[in-house]
Amino acid sequence: MKENKSLVVWHNPRCSKSRNAIKYLDEKGVRYTVRRYLEDIPSKEELREVLKKLGIPPRELMRTKEKLYRELGLKNVEDDEKLIEAMAENPRLIERPIVLHGDKAVVARPETKIDEILSMSKG
């Protein structure tokens, strides 16, 4: 099995895309740590770090089709900090799965996007 202790997957076991990512890593024999982000909720600072690693604005990390997104009226919110706050308070809004390694991250949809991280972690 390839050693890769620093690979972390923000995982929701109820999500098929998230389960596919875990299965993909398992099939490749890659070691990783699972973070059930709905239980171990990321702080605003952690979300800022992940956004930086992903290189995307907060809205792109949000599940904009989620009922909660509409209920909170986030469509018209332009303040990135407010969007980050909404994700920290309501982790269901966070797109999944997120795979992190070092200073890089990908939203693994589809799960083959994980290869971008794996290719960086070789060596």
Side-chain angles (χ1 to χ4, degrees):
M1 200 173 249
K2 296 180 191 109
E3 193 64 31
N4 215 338
K5 290 181 181 171
S6 62
L7 198 81
V8 177
V9 181
W10 285 16
H11 177 56
N12 175 356
R14 295 183 63 195
C15 171
S16 63
K17 300 286 186 196
S18 199
R19 289 192 309 271
N20 288 345
I22 294 293
K23 182 179 173 196
Y24 188 77
L25 286 167
D26 288 343
E27 286 171 355
K28 287 187 165 280
V30 176
R31 284 190 177 180
Y32 54 88
T33 303
V34 169
R35 177 174 181 174
R36 291 187 176 201
Y37 69 94
L38 294 177
E39 298 157 19
D40 181 5
I41 300 169
S43 67
K44 289 186 276 187
E45 186 54 44
E46 286 177 294
L47 287 165
R48 281 187 213 101
E49 278 296 308
V50 167
L51 288 163
K52 185 177 173 185
K53 290 176 184 188
L54 288 166
I56 61 173
R59 191 171 319 274
E60 285 184 33
L61 188 59
M62 299 183 88
R63 298 175 53 78
T64 57
K65 292 183 173 80
E66 187 78 34
K67 182 180 173 191
L68 183 60
Y69 180 86
R70 289 189 305 276
E71 287 172 356
L72 294 173
L74 296 170
K75 183 180 180 182
N76 299 318
V77 173
E78 296 299 323
D79 182 345
D80 283 354
E81 204 50 41
K82 287 198 182 339
L83 296 176
I84 290 169
E85 199 171 292
M87 285 187 280
E89 291 171 6
N90 305 279
R92 279 188 320 173
L93 292 171
I94 301 170
E95 189 59 89
R96 60 199 175 234
I98 301 169
V99 180
L100 302 127
H101 183 269
D103 63 351
K104 300 291 180 195
V106 293
V107 176
R109 298 173 79 95
E111 64 274 6
T112 52
K113 288 197 73 140
I114 295 170
D115 290 338
E116 294 173 24
I117 292 275
L118 296 179
S119 66
M120 288 182 248
S121 65
K122 288 180 182 158

